[in-house]
């Protein structure tokens, strides 16, 4: 069984293997395909119209499928790889090991937010930004310039919410575990605030340009898994017949062959350490 680990516990070899696989997917163009897909969906997902990947009940199963697909591409490079997760309730500093030169690299420089350290620095010639939110060919970060990283107490408050989602099934939903985890409501603004705190490309629709995206969303997926274990009788909602959102047994674009129901149990793909 594949095991997704906390990035803080990766060995030097595991970090190097993961980074090298990311660079290989970037070299072949596979990586940029994932950036395009995410951008297309985040730009089209709206509160008052058809929504699939964001602002909707399928936010969590959509991203679970997205991460599985990306993980499988990494495993074509090296079968030993699983996506690590970044627990930003613990590793909360620009000086945390995740941002070391041997892994994700550091913050962007002040004048243009360009990341100049680590394997994804523009100077390496291996990480040009081809799917752009603006005309910058280099990865950008502005960590801590806006937003705040959620605390453990804020996350625990969201995990305690017993109802998966509520009408109107968008960013206005109150009492919705999904919406509070996604970050449209609640003190921590959990998922969204991490994107804002990272800044640069992570604060845009082309956020997967920053490899930190995958570690952040692996943690969001882990939190959903934790919630599922804590609330075994709480079902995915809505079940059926709901306009503009993906019901339990509806297929999700762009795959059109997978439903939220099929994404509820990740144990056939991976577990978390």
């Amino acid at each position: 069984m594949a095991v997704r680990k906390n990035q803080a516990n990766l060995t030097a070899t595991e970090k190097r293997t993961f980074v090298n696989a990311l660079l290989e997917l970037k070299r072949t163009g596979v990586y940029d395909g994932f950036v395009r897909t995410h951008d297309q969906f985040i730009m089209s997902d709206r509160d008052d119209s058809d929504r699939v990947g964001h602002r909707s009940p399928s936010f969590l199963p959509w991203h679970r499928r997205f991460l599985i697909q990306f993980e499988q591409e990494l495993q074509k490079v090296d079968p030993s790889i699983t996506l690590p997760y970044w627990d930003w309730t613990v590793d909360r500093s620009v000086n945390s090991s995740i941002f070391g030169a041997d892994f994700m690299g550091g913050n962007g420089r002040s004048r243009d937010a360009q990341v100049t350290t680590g394997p994804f620095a523009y100077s390496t010639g291996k990480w040009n930004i081809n799917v752009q939110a603006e005309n910058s060919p280099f990865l950008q970060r502005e960590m801590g310039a806006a937003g705040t990283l959620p605390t453990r107490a804020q996350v625990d408050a969201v995990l305690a919410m017993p109802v998966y989602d509520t009408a109107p099934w968008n960013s206005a939903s109150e009492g919705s575990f999904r919406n509070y985890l996604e970050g449209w409501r609640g003190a921590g603004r959990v998922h969204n605030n991490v994107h804002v705190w990272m800044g640069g490309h992570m604060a845009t629709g082309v956020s997967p340009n920053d490899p930190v995206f995958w570690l952040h969303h692996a943690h969001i997926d882990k939190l959903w898994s934790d919630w599922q274990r804590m609330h075994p009788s709480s079902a995915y909602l809505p079940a059926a017949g709901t306009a503009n959102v993906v019901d339990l047994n509806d297929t999700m674009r762009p795959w059109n062959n997978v439903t939220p129901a099929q994404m509820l149990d990740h144990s056939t793909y991976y577990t978390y350490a």
Side-chain angles (χ1 to χ4, degrees), residues 46-101:
R46 290 290 180 266
D47 277 345
D48 58 355
S49 61
D50 183 57
R51 48 199 182 276
V52 180
H54 308 84
R55 300 171 176 261
S56 65
S58 51
F59 167 74
L60 291 167
W62 190 93
H63 280 86
R64 179 167 283 178
R65 180 66 182 86
F66 193 54
L67 264 63
I68 289 171
Q69 184 181 17
F70 185 72
E71 191 170 55
Q72 290 171 339
E73 291 296 332
L74 291 170
Q75 289 165 350
K76 291 177 183 178
V77 180
D78 190 314
S80 71
I81 292 174
T82 54
L83 284 173
Y85 63 91
W86 169 32
D87 183 352
W88 22 254
T89 69
V90 176
D91 297 304
R92 307 173 56 78
S93 164
V94 296
N95 298 315
S96 295
S97 62
I98 183 176
F99 300 118

Side-chain angles (χ1 to χ4, degrees), residues 105-121:
N107 202 3
R109 63 189 182 189
S110 59
R111 73 171 182 269
D112 58 4
Q114 180 180 166
V115 173
T116 60
T117 60
F120 311 108

Side-chain angles (χ1 to χ4, degrees), residues 242-262:
T242 314
N244 292 328
V245 300
V246 182
D247 293 317
L248 178 64
N249 292 302
D250 291 344
T251 58
M252 295 185 289
R253 293 183 287 109
W255 308 287
N256 298 320
N257 63 357
V258 62
T259 66
Q262 293 171 309

